[in-house]
Amino acid sequence: MTTQTHHQLLPNQTLSAQQLEQFDRDGYLFFPSAFSPTEMKVLLDEVPKLYAENRPEIVREKDGKTPRTSFAAHTYNEAFAKLGQHPRLIEPAKQLFGEDVYMHQFKINGKQAFDGDVWQWHQDYGTWQRDDGMPQARAMNVALFLDEVNEFNGPLLFIPGSHKKGVLQAGHDVSTTSYPLWTLDNEKIAELVAQGGIVAPKGPPGSMLLFHGCLVHGSPSNMSPWNRVIVYLSLCAVSNHITQFNRPDYIAHRRFNPIASLPNDCLTRTDIPGLPFPGYEATAKAA
Ligand code: SIN
Ligand code: MN
């Protein structure tokens, strides 16, 4: 059974004491319609253009065609660069860590109608620690729904409270999907679900989710006729930057520059540039 608690940010884009308490207890917070339809159109209009490109940053499903995830669009696309510096996404993370944050990873997950494949049960910090040498679980995801997420199109599934268990034992699954992941076994999932249950936050485009780096999550395949595109910012406390560079730079970034938030209305303003993203100034000049 899912009971959704609906939240709003405080006027300065921060979390209330009650929200901080709930995040600590459950490991996530849900904000339906945090972004307006006008703001969402700015982002949504860019997605087909991005997916049409033939870049190494775009990982396809096992069929070799359907876009599964597109990395690092904040480094080359104006609208997504602004999103990567948006106060509604950045300020709560800064508040939770009590310091500046940098972008560890930025991805747009396709989960396309009919063809979007499963994301197995996992913890993101499990990967950040094992593959990237991130010292502590002082990094988190902020997700924004670009499409409506409903019970049919492969919603994210969370096990509330599972972040309290720290880093759980995991196996490196390189075969189930086209993207390798450190995944948890069924026995452990059954045990965690017996304690915390499962929730699947659902809502219109523009809904936002904050979740802890150790929160156990996954998502089923999308056999509906509706796309389920979600953008994820993985924000890391600047003092907690990664120490190993095993994965490509476009998957685990190596520029630890603090992100300064742009104005709250940046997405719909043409006088505010998003690019170059902090840390990419020299790359932008060279391009
Ligand atoms: C993820 O956990 O990294 C992706 C899950 C999803 O987009 O469904
Ligand atoms: Mn994940």
Side-chain angles (χ1 to χ4, degrees):
M1 229 328 255
T2 308
T3 39
Q4 294 193 170
T5 314
H6 293 187
H7 291 287
Q8 280 189 320
L9 291 169
L10 295 174
N12 63 352
Q13 316 307 335
T14 56
L15 305 167
S16 67
Q18 189 249 332
Q19 288 167 337
L20 290 169
E21 211 174 287
Q22 192 173 335
F23 183 83
D24 178 59
R25 186 189 67 217
D26 297 339
Y28 75 98
L29 288 170
F30 186 44
F31 299 83
S33 303
F35 286 72
S36 72
T38 315
E39 292 177 308
M40 295 316 295
K41 187 171 167 11
V42 174
L43 299 168
L44 211 44
D45 283 353
E46 297 299 312
V47 174
K49 290 184 241 166
L50 286 180
Y51 280 163
E53 288 193 41
N54 201 7
R55 306 177 68 111
E57 292 96 329
I58 302 175
V59 177
R60 310 275 161 185
E61 298 283 8
K62 275 187 147 177
D63 63 12
K65 298 191 305 247
T66 314
R68 175 170 175 81
T69 183
S70 165
F71 288 104
H74 68 303
T75 63
Y76 64 89
N77 177 278
E78 185 62 28
F80 285 102
K82 286 187 192 178
L83 189 70
Q85 300 162 83
H86 201 288
R88 268 169 263 164
L89 306 182
I90 301 299
E91 293 304 319
K94 278 168 58 179
Q95 182 187 7
L96 281 161
F97 297 129
E99 64 171 292
D100 279 333
V101 293
Y102 77 93
M103 191 69 69
H104 172 59
Q105 185 178 82
F106 185 104
K107 61 183 188 280
I108 307 171
N109 279 2
K111 189 79 77 166
Q112 297 288 289
F114 300 112
D115 295 316
D117 209 350
V118 61
W119 287 84
Q120 313 94 309
W121 288 109
H122 67 281
Q123 296 173 299
D124 280 17
Y125 180 63
T127 298
W128 300 336
Q129 184 189 57
R130 292 177 181 100
D131 290 352
D132 306 328
M134 187 185 283
Q136 294 175 46
R138 287 174 53 74
M140 64 182 291
N141 286 313
V142 184
L144 180 65
F145 298 177
L146 293 198
D147 292 311
E148 178 188 316
V149 176
N150 57 43
E151 58 266 61
F152 309 108
N153 63 355
L156 274 170
L157 308 180
F158 289 159
I159 305 180
S162 53
H163 64 301
K164 296 276 188 191
K165 307 285 181 188
V167 180
L168 297 160
Q169 205 200 325
H172 206 203
D173 182 344
V174 293
S175 62
T176 307
T177 68
S178 59
Y179 186 73
L181 211 55
W182 288 92
T183 62
L184 306 181
D185 65 38
N186 293 349
E187 214 179 357
K188 178 51 79 179
I189 295 302
E191 182 192 315
L192 294 169
V193 171
Q195 293 166 21
I198 300 180
V199 296
K202 295 177 279 277
S207 299
M208 175 174 100
L209 269 171
L210 269 53
F211 61 102
H212 193 282
C214 289
L215 190 75
V216 176
H217 62 283
S219 61
S221 65
N222 182 4
M223 60 193 286
S224 83
W226 306 300
N227 292 338
R228 192 233 63 179
V229 180
I230 300 182
V231 187
Y232 296 85
L233 279 64
S234 301
L235 298 166
C236 184
V238 168
S239 67
N240 188 49
H241 67 76
I242 63 170
T243 59
Q244 288 167 206
F245 304 135
N246 297 322
R247 303 197 291 171
D249 180 349
Y250 60 81
I251 296 184
H253 303 309
R254 293 156 203 186
R255 305 178 201 204
F256 311 133
N257 305 58
I259 301 168
S261 287
L262 294 175
N264 199 28
D265 58 356
C266 61
L267 283 173
T268 52
R269 280 176 58 178
T270 48
D271 59 323
I272 297 174
L275 293 168
F277 196 80
Y280 292 80
E281 295 79 2
T283 322
K285 268 193 215 106

